Structure formats: structure tokens, C-alpha cells
Amino acid sequence: AQARGQPSPAQLSVLSAFVALWTTGVLFQVITPDFHAHYLLVKITYFPILAVPVCWLLFCSHYCGSGAAWKPWRIFLLSLTPAVCGFHSATNFHQVFRNQEHMAQLGSLHVMSNGRGPAWYLAAAYASMLMLAGMVILIGKTSRGGRVFRFQTATVVGAGILPWIANLLFILHLGPFGDLDPAPFAFTATGTLLAGALFRFRLFDVVPIARGLVLENMPDCLLVMDSQNRLVDLNAAAARIIGSRARLGSAIAEALLPWPQLLDQIQAGESQSELLLGHAWWDLTLTPLRNPQGRGT
């Protein structure tokens, strides 16, 4: 059964889309020498900038299994402050968002330098708060998850903390590029880390909360293989027996090298059998995992 609030690529896709708009907007800004065109791009780009922290918090909540708590009215309230700040960024009504705008050169790049109004600081503080809240949710769930979930979560935390720190340095006037926000450049490393989590730790293949509550507490040994016969997951009972050979991503033949008869049964595809391993008899059950379309995973 599908768990309520199960994480899915949808939340990550929405987050990635706003990050892409942010990065694209900054790219066009730095290559646009005309002040008015550059200023228009700055205003437009602030909408995805303000949306990213909201999407990050929702992604973290869904990934940790608490996404069902985000009702539409709560998402509306969560997005209200960024929406108001985005309006002030677009109109700069009474210069409450920015003031004293002028173009600055950073080598061959063009950067908008401006004073920061109260709405700018409100937007920055609110965004930092949402990013931090997402980190707290992830880290809080890490200690209660299994080993695979801990690896996954550590990767996601690392992916989120890099651009957050970069943007924080920019807010505090400590950025390495002066008036140019380094956060979009930090997203390059973020994408690499998330890609590693997707392909190395199979980020969305196991519901982390259900796994932590059920699989990690099972007295029986559980091994999960992919279609290439690689070890992609195991519970605590299996890890205690296999020990240091339980390297995620390694061939199952390597992990089960001391138990050739078990490996033979797995490779033979026997759905159920009994094996004498050491001085004890074990029941072996092989269960194929299939996605909603009926294909093996």
C-alpha cells in the first residue's frame, strides 16, 4: 500500500524548476548591459528566488513522510509572505524593497548594485527560516531512520546547505562576488549531490518512514537487489550477519561470497526454499518488486 504523504519526484521536480528559473534569470542578468532590461530581469527573477525556500520546505516534509499535513490553506499561508515580498520587488512601491539602484561591473559581467529596503530583509529572513526549518526536519528524521535513509538524508542535507550558506554569505555582504549572489553557482554542486542520491542511494525507491518503522525492526534478514543484481538496501538484521561486505551498490555475489549455496538459490530464482547455513536452517523467500506499471525495479 502507498503510504500517505509518500515522497515522490514531483516535489523535487517543482523545486528544480524554480531553481532553474532562478539560475537562468541570473545568467541573463550578468550578460545584459542595458540598465532597464537588467533591472526588469532582477524583478522577474525574484519570484523563483522567493519560491525556492517554500518548495524546499515542502519537499523536505514530503520526503520525511509528513507532507500530508500541508493542506492547501497552509501552503497558501506559507506562500503569503513571499508573494507580498515578490509584489514589492516587482513594483518597488515607495522603495520598500530596494533603493539607489545602479549597474556595477564584475569583470566582464554586469551586476545590479542597490540598497536593501525593509521588504528585502523580510524576504531574506523568511527564506532563511524556511530553509533552516527544512534542514531541521531532515536531520530530526535521520536519527530514526535506517542506514540507507541516513545516507540519503545526509546527501539531501548537503545538497540544500550549500546554496543556503552561499546565499547567507551574500545577505551578510560576505560573498566572494560582491553584489553577485553566489547561490545559483552553488546549485551546480547541489544538482550533483542529488543526482548521486538518485542513482547511488535510490532516493525515491523506499518510503523512509515506513522503512524505519517496519524493516529496521524486523528480526528476519532482508536484502534488496536491483535488476542488475546489485545490493541496494538491507535491514539491520542482515547487516549484522553480512558485516563489512554489505556495501550498497556492490554485486550481490560479492556480498554473499561466504554463502555460495544461498547465492545459488538466489540466482536460480527459487521463490521459496530451505537452506542449511552454518548450524541453522533458514527459510529463503524471493519476492520481485514491481512498480505501479507492473515492471520490475
Side-chain angles (χ1 to χ4, degrees):
Q2 187 176 21
R4 192 181 182 192
Q6 175 178 346
S8 73
Q11 291 83 29
L12 180 60
S13 298
V14 174
L15 174 62
S16 300
F18 280 113
V19 168
L21 290 173
W22 179 1
T23 306
T24 303
V26 172
L27 174 63
F28 278 101
Q29 288 175 35
V30 298
I31 63 175
T32 302
D34 180 73
F35 175 83
H36 296 288
H38 187 110
Y39 193 28
L40 177 62
L41 286 169
V42 169
K43 292 181 176 181
I44 293 174
T45 305
Y46 254 98
F47 284 99
I49 290 176
L50 295 171
V52 165
V54 176
C55 294
W56 166 257
L57 179 58
L58 294 176
F59 165 71
C60 293
S61 298
H62 277 83
Y63 179 70
C64 291
S66 55
W70 287 104
K71 306 298 182 183
W73 66 271
R74 290 179 175 173
I75 297 177
F76 171 78
L77 292 178
L78 183 72
S79 307
L80 192 57
T81 297
V84 171
C85 291
F87 168 79
H88 281 293
S89 173
T91 62
N92 203 23
F93 186 67
H94 288 311
Q95 294 190 325
V96 297
F97 200 90
R98 64 178 70 86
N99 53 68
Q100 300 176 349
E101 302 92 345
H102 65 277
M103 293 286 289
Q105 289 289 125
L106 184 64
S108 59
L109 304 180
H110 305 278
V111 182
M112 177 68 70
S113 180
N114 55 260
R116 300 167 177 178
W120 191 98
Y121 283 105
L122 173 62
Y126 189 74
S128 297
M129 182 184 69
L130 296 187
M131 292 295 294
L132 181 60
M135 298 289 181
V136 170
I137 291 173
L138 286 173
I139 295 172
K141 293 293 184 181
T142 302
S143 59
R144 296 191 292 273
R147 178 166 58 170
V148 173
F149 184 39
R150 288 197 296 270
F151 283 138
Q152 290 175 342
T153 307
T155 305
V156 176
V157 169
I161 203 170
L162 289 176
W164 180 57
I165 291 177
N167 186 248
L168 191 60
L169 291 175
F170 170 72
I171 293 172
L172 298 175
H173 296 285
L174 299 175
F177 307 122
D179 292 312
L180 180 61
D181 188 353
F185 305 101
F187 279 120
T188 303
T190 292
T192 303
L193 287 172
L194 288 178
L198 285 168
F199 294 104
R200 179 67 175 85
F201 300 123
R202 303 175 70 85
L203 189 61
F204 298 113
D205 283 3
V206 181
V207 181
I209 301 305
R211 184 190 186 283
L213 294 175
V214 180
L215 303 186
E216 282 300 309
N217 295 314
M218 286 176 56
D220 298 330
C221 298
L222 176 70
L223 300 175
V224 182
M225 299 178 299
D226 64 7
S227 57
Q228 283 77 44
N229 289 323
R230 295 173 299 188
L231 181 66
V232 296
D233 200 5
L234 74 165
N235 66 350
R240 285 193 295 268
I241 293 176
I242 297 178
S244 60
R245 292 184 176 275
R247 294 189 302 106
L248 299 181
S250 63
I252 193 67
E254 178 184 340
L256 299 180
L257 193 60
W259 300 277
Q261 63 273 43
L262 174 57
L263 182 60
D264 291 341
Q265 292 289 338
I266 293 175
Q267 292 177 338
E270 295 287 343
S271 59
Q272 286 189 322
S273 59
E274 291 185 349
L275 289 174
L276 178 62
L277 300 176
H279 301 288
W281 284 93
W282 293 74
D283 292 323
L284 172 65
T285 302
L286 298 180
T287 303
L289 300 178
R290 302 191 182 277
N291 59 24
Q293 290 73 40
R295 295 191 295 270
T297 57

